[in-house]
PDB file of all heavy atoms in Angstrom:
ATOM      1  N   ALA A  17     -16.744 -19.462 -49.005  1.00  0.00           N
ATOM      2  CA  ALA A  17     -15.389 -18.912 -48.891  1.00  0.00           C
ATOM      3  C   ALA A  17     -15.185 -18.273 -47.529  1.00  0.00           C
ATOM      4  O   ALA A  17     -14.135 -18.412 -46.920  1.00  0.00           O
ATOM      5  CB  ALA A  17     -15.148 -17.881 -49.998  1.00  0.00           C
ATOM      6  N   ARG A  18     -16.210 -17.570 -47.031  1.00  0.00           N
ATOM      7  CA  ARG A  18     -16.076 -16.934 -45.722  1.00  0.00           C
ATOM      8  C   ARG A  18     -15.898 -17.977 -44.624  1.00  0.00           C
ATOM      9  O   ARG A  18     -15.097 -17.825 -43.720  1.00  0.00           O
ATOM     10  CB  ARG A  18     -17.293 -16.053 -45.440  1.00  0.00           C
ATOM     11  CG  ARG A  18     -17.276 -14.725 -46.165  1.00  0.00           C
ATOM     12  CD  ARG A  18     -18.302 -13.786 -45.569  1.00  0.00           C
ATOM     13  NE  ARG A  18     -19.677 -14.266 -45.778  1.00  0.00           N
ATOM     14  CZ  ARG A  18     -20.400 -13.960 -46.834  1.00  0.00           C
ATOM     15  NH1 ARG A  18     -19.899 -13.197 -47.790  1.00  0.00           N
ATOM     16  NH2 ARG A  18     -21.640 -14.422 -46.962  1.00  0.00           N
ATOM     17  N   VAL A  19     -16.637 -19.067 -44.727  1.00  0.00           N
ATOM     18  CA  VAL A  19     -16.509 -20.132 -43.732  1.00  0.00           C
ATOM     19  C   VAL A  19     -15.113 -20.739 -43.786  1.00  0.00           C
ATOM     20  O   VAL A  19     -14.477 -21.002 -42.778  1.00  0.00           O
ATOM     21  CB  VAL A  19     -17.579 -21.215 -43.960  1.00  0.00           C
ATOM     22  CG1 VAL A  19     -17.315 -22.415 -43.064  1.00  0.00           C
ATOM     23  CG2 VAL A  19     -18.964 -20.649 -43.697  1.00  0.00           C
ATOM     24  N   SER A  20     -14.601 -20.927 -45.030  1.00  0.00           N
ATOM     25  CA  SER A  20     -13.274 -21.507 -45.187  1.00  0.00           C
ATOM     26  C   SER A  20     -12.200 -20.630 -44.586  1.00  0.00           C
ATOM     27  O   SER A  20     -11.308 -21.086 -43.901  1.00  0.00           O
ATOM     28  CB  SER A  20     -12.993 -21.741 -46.686  1.00  0.00           C
ATOM     29  OG  SER A  20     -11.675 -22.201 -46.868  1.00  0.00           O
ATOM     30  N   VAL A  21     -12.303 -19.303 -44.824  1.00  0.00           N
ATOM     31  CA  VAL A  21     -11.317 -18.379 -44.283  1.00  0.00           C
ATOM     32  C   VAL A  21     -11.379 -18.353 -42.768  1.00  0.00           C
ATOM     33  O   VAL A  21     -10.376 -18.349 -42.072  1.00  0.00           O
ATOM     34  CB  VAL A  21     -11.555 -16.961 -44.854  1.00  0.00           C
ATOM     35  CG1 VAL A  21     -10.692 -15.944 -44.123  1.00  0.00           C
ATOM     36  CG2 VAL A  21     -11.231 -16.937 -46.348  1.00  0.00           C
ATOM     37  N   ALA A  22     -12.607 -18.340 -42.228  1.00  0.00           N
ATOM     38  CA  ALA A  22     -12.756 -18.269 -40.777  1.00  0.00           C
ATOM     39  C   ALA A  22     -12.146 -19.481 -40.092  1.00  0.00           C
ATOM     40  O   ALA A  22     -11.650 -19.389 -38.981  1.00  0.00           O
ATOM     41  CB  ALA A  22     -14.215 -18.143 -40.406  1.00  0.00           C
ATOM     42  N   SER A  23     -12.195 -20.678 -40.748  1.00  0.00           N
ATOM     43  CA  SER A  23     -11.697 -21.879 -40.118  1.00  0.00           C
ATOM     44  C   SER A  23     -10.307 -22.260 -40.591  1.00  0.00           C
ATOM     45  O   SER A  23      -9.816 -23.333 -40.244  1.00  0.00           O
ATOM     46  CB  SER A  23     -12.664 -23.043 -40.411  1.00  0.00           C
ATOM     47  OG  SER A  23     -12.734 -23.280 -41.817  1.00  0.00           O
ATOM     48  N   SER A  24      -9.647 -21.406 -41.409  1.00  0.00           N
ATOM     49  CA  SER A  24      -8.351 -21.761 -41.972  1.00  0.00           C
ATOM     50  C   SER A  24      -7.266 -21.858 -40.916  1.00  0.00           C
ATOM     51  O   SER A  24      -6.279 -22.538 -41.105  1.00  0.00           O
ATOM     52  CB  SER A  24      -7.945 -20.743 -43.035  1.00  0.00           C
ATOM     53  OG  SER A  24      -7.785 -19.463 -42.444  1.00  0.00           O
ATOM     54  N   ASP A  25      -7.440 -21.187 -39.758  1.00  0.00           N
ATOM     55  CA  ASP A  25      -6.444 -21.233 -38.701  1.00  0.00           C
ATOM     56  C   ASP A  25      -6.944 -22.031 -37.509  1.00  0.00           C
ATOM     57  O   ASP A  25      -6.532 -21.800 -36.387  1.00  0.00           O
ATOM     58  CB  ASP A  25      -6.078 -19.809 -38.269  1.00  0.00           C
ATOM     59  CG  ASP A  25      -5.283 -19.076 -39.344  1.00  0.00           C
ATOM     60  OD1 ASP A  25      -4.604 -19.760 -40.129  1.00  0.00           O
ATOM     61  OD2 ASP A  25      -5.354 -17.849 -39.397  1.00  0.00           O
ATOM     62  N   GLN A  26      -7.835 -22.968 -37.729  1.00  0.00           N
ATOM     63  CA  GLN A  26      -8.404 -23.724 -36.637  1.00  0.00           C
ATOM     64  C   GLN A  26      -7.334 -24.588 -35.986  1.00  0.00           C
ATOM     65  O   GLN A  26      -6.513 -25.212 -36.662  1.00  0.00           O
ATOM     66  CB  GLN A  26      -9.548 -24.601 -37.148  1.00  0.00           C
ATOM     67  CG  GLN A  26     -10.333 -25.286 -36.062  1.00  0.00           C
ATOM     68  CD  GLN A  26     -11.624 -25.869 -36.577  1.00  0.00           C
ATOM     69  OE1 GLN A  26     -12.704 -25.397 -36.254  1.00  0.00           O
ATOM     70  NE2 GLN A  26     -11.512 -26.909 -37.391  1.00  0.00           N
ATOM     71  N   GLY A  27      -7.339 -24.615 -34.660  1.00  0.00           N
ATOM     72  CA  GLY A  27      -6.322 -25.365 -33.932  1.00  0.00           C
ATOM     73  C   GLY A  27      -6.935 -26.302 -32.918  1.00  0.00           C
ATOM     74  O   GLY A  27      -8.116 -26.197 -32.566  1.00  0.00           O
ATOM     75  N   ALA A  28      -6.102 -27.223 -32.418  1.00  0.00           N
ATOM     76  CA  ALA A  28      -6.539 -28.180 -31.400  1.00  0.00           C
ATOM     77  C   ALA A  28      -5.482 -28.270 -30.333  1.00  0.00           C
ATOM     78  O   ALA A  28      -4.278 -28.144 -30.606  1.00  0.00           O
ATOM     79  CB  ALA A  28      -6.783 -29.555 -32.025  1.00  0.00           C
ATOM     80  N   VAL A  29      -5.922 -28.468 -29.083  1.00  0.00           N
ATOM     81  CA  VAL A  29      -5.031 -28.627 -27.939  1.00  0.00           C
ATOM     82  C   VAL A  29      -5.230 -30.024 -27.379  1.00  0.00           C
ATOM     83  O   VAL A  29      -6.351 -30.417 -27.036  1.00  0.00           O
ATOM     84  CB  VAL A  29      -5.313 -27.580 -26.848  1.00  0.00           C
ATOM     85  CG1 VAL A  29      -4.455 -27.847 -25.615  1.00  0.00           C
ATOM     86  CG2 VAL A  29      -5.072 -26.172 -27.382  1.00  0.00           C
ATOM     87  N   LEU A  30      -4.136 -30.802 -27.289  1.00  0.00           N
ATOM     88  CA  LEU A  30      -4.169 -32.123 -26.704  1.00  0.00           C
ATOM     89  C   LEU A  30      -3.263 -32.139 -25.489  1.00  0.00           C
ATOM     90  O   LEU A  30      -2.094 -31.761 -25.573  1.00  0.00           O
ATOM     91  CB  LEU A  30      -3.688 -33.184 -27.699  1.00  0.00           C
ATOM     92  CG  LEU A  30      -4.441 -33.309 -29.030  1.00  0.00           C
ATOM     93  CD1 LEU A  30      -3.855 -34.431 -29.857  1.00  0.00           C
ATOM     94  CD2 LEU A  30      -5.918 -33.534 -28.785  1.00  0.00           C
ATOM     95  N   VAL A  31      -3.779 -32.554 -24.343  1.00  0.00           N
ATOM     96  CA  VAL A  31      -2.993 -32.712 -23.124  1.00  0.00           C
ATOM     97  C   VAL A  31      -2.976 -34.184 -22.772  1.00  0.00           C
ATOM     98  O   VAL A  31      -4.027 -34.780 -22.512  1.00  0.00           O
ATOM     99  CB  VAL A  31      -3.569 -31.877 -21.974  1.00  0.00           C
ATOM    100  CG1 VAL A  31      -2.734 -32.080 -20.707  1.00  0.00           C
ATOM    101  CG2 VAL A  31      -3.607 -30.394 -22.346  1.00  0.00           C
ATOM    102  N   ILE A  32      -1.796 -34.757 -22.784  1.00  0.00           N
ATOM    103  CA  ILE A  32      -1.636 -36.196 -22.560  1.00  0.00           C
ATOM    104  C   ILE A  32      -0.692 -36.420 -21.380  1.00  0.00           C
ATOM    105  O   ILE A  32      -0.179 -35.459 -20.797  1.00  0.00           O
ATOM    106  CB  ILE A  32      -1.094 -36.897 -23.821  1.00  0.00           C
ATOM    107  CG1 ILE A  32       0.283 -36.313 -24.184  1.00  0.00           C
ATOM    108  CG2 ILE A  32      -2.065 -36.732 -24.988  1.00  0.00           C
ATOM    109  CD1 ILE A  32       0.940 -37.015 -25.367  1.00  0.00           C
ATOM    110  N   GLY A  33      -0.444 -37.672 -21.030  1.00  0.00           N
ATOM    111  CA  GLY A  33       0.498 -37.989 -19.974  1.00  0.00           C
ATOM    112  C   GLY A  33      -0.164 -38.750 -18.843  1.00  0.00           C
ATOM    113  O   GLY A  33      -1.387 -38.971 -18.827  1.00  0.00           O
ATOM    114  N   THR A  34       0.659 -39.143 -17.861  1.00  0.00           N
ATOM    115  CA  THR A  34       0.183 -39.955 -16.745  1.00  0.00           C
ATOM    116  C   THR A  34      -0.111 -39.127 -15.501  1.00  0.00           C
ATOM    117  O   THR A  34      -0.346 -39.701 -14.425  1.00  0.00           O
ATOM    118  CB  THR A  34       1.240 -41.036 -16.407  1.00  0.00           C
ATOM    119  OG1 THR A  34       2.482 -40.396 -16.067  1.00  0.00           O
ATOM    120  CG2 THR A  34       1.453 -41.971 -17.593  1.00  0.00           C
ATOM    121  N   ALA A  35      -0.071 -37.822 -15.584  1.00  0.00           N
ATOM    122  CA  ALA A  35      -0.449 -36.976 -14.447  1.00  0.00           C
ATOM    123  C   ALA A  35      -1.939 -37.172 -14.154  1.00  0.00           C
ATOM    124  O   ALA A  35      -2.693 -37.700 -14.983  1.00  0.00           O
ATOM    125  CB  ALA A  35      -0.130 -35.513 -14.741  1.00  0.00           C
TER     126      ALA A  35
END
Side-chain angles (χ1 to χ4, degrees):
R18 282 195 294 270
V19 171
S20 176
V21 170
S23 61
S24 63
D25 290 333
Q26 188 167 249
V29 175
L30 302 182
V31 179
I32 60 176
T34 59

